Amino acid sequence: MKVSKNIDIREVVPPEIWNVYGKNSIWFIDERLIILLQFIHDYFDAELTSNNYHYHKAGIPGPYTQRGFRMPDSTIGAKLSTHKRSIADDFTLKGHTPDEIRAEILRNQKPFMEKGLTTLEHGDDAPTWVHGDMRWTGLDHILIVRA
């Protein structure tokens, strides 16, 4: 179920939510996260992959189920993770390495911050994906955090 031009709600909710709430899964997502993800997709003009359990290849679902919103009792990530507040996402972009994505965002921070991005996870801690979130930092630049 598309919630923006290129973002499907299943990309940001785990199957535990989708399987119970279906299209109403949108209730659990901060709208700003969808706006930010769509902006990232458009800025890089590249296919964004977050959760992909709803895509099947040869009958096998994609492996990612916890890259967006995580249930409060999830043991993945930090106890008070921004994922559990629906203001974080882990993603990749087709044709771009995570380091390239982070570098471009940091070179051109203003439009990303205007869409709500405040924080990126350091590449050493997120080597094969980009973690971005929208926590309040009070800063005029994007914060780089370590896991």
Side-chain angles (χ1 to χ4, degrees), residues 11-146:
E11 293 177 82
V12 292
V13 298
E16 302 92 327
I17 294 288
W18 175 254
N19 292 338
V20 173
Y21 295 95
K23 67 180 184 174
N24 292 330
S25 298
I26 199 166
W27 296 343
F28 301 95
I29 301 303
D30 188 313
E31 175 187 26
R32 296 172 304 150
L33 183 61
I34 303 300
I35 292 167
L36 175 61
L37 292 175
Q38 183 63 54
F39 175 77
I40 291 168
H41 175 283
D42 293 346
Y43 181 92
F44 287 94
D45 191 24
E47 180 182 326
L48 184 144
T49 299
S50 188
N51 288 341
N52 64 357
Y53 62 87
H54 57 293
Y55 296 121
H56 291 77
K57 192 177 228 180
I60 300 169
Y64 303 122
T65 64
Q66 303 291 314
R67 286 181 142 198
F69 174 68
R70 295 178 185 155
M71 300 291 285
D73 61 352
S74 174
T75 58
I76 297 171
K79 183 178 178 181
L80 297 175
S81 167
T82 51
H83 286 274
K84 294 178 182 180
R85 295 183 306 171
S86 177
I87 58 170
D89 196 75
D90 297 335
F91 64 90
T92 55
L93 291 168
K94 189 172 186 172
H96 301 274
T97 69
D99 286 339
E100 290 170 347
I101 298 163
R102 281 186 287 270
E104 177 60 24
I105 290 171
L106 292 173
R107 271 192 304 272
N108 195 19
Q109 294 185 31
K110 186 176 181 187
F112 292 92
M113 292 187 75
E114 287 172 349
K115 295 297 183 189
L117 183 67
T118 62
T119 308
L120 291 172
E121 190 169 1
H122 193 282
D124 288 349
D125 298 323
T128 61
W129 69 91
V130 176
H131 167 95
D133 71 56
M134 301 163 52
R135 71 184 78 183
W136 175 254
T137 66
L139 300 173
D140 64 355
H141 62 277
I142 293 176
L143 176 67
I144 305 298
V145 295
R146 300 296 306 254

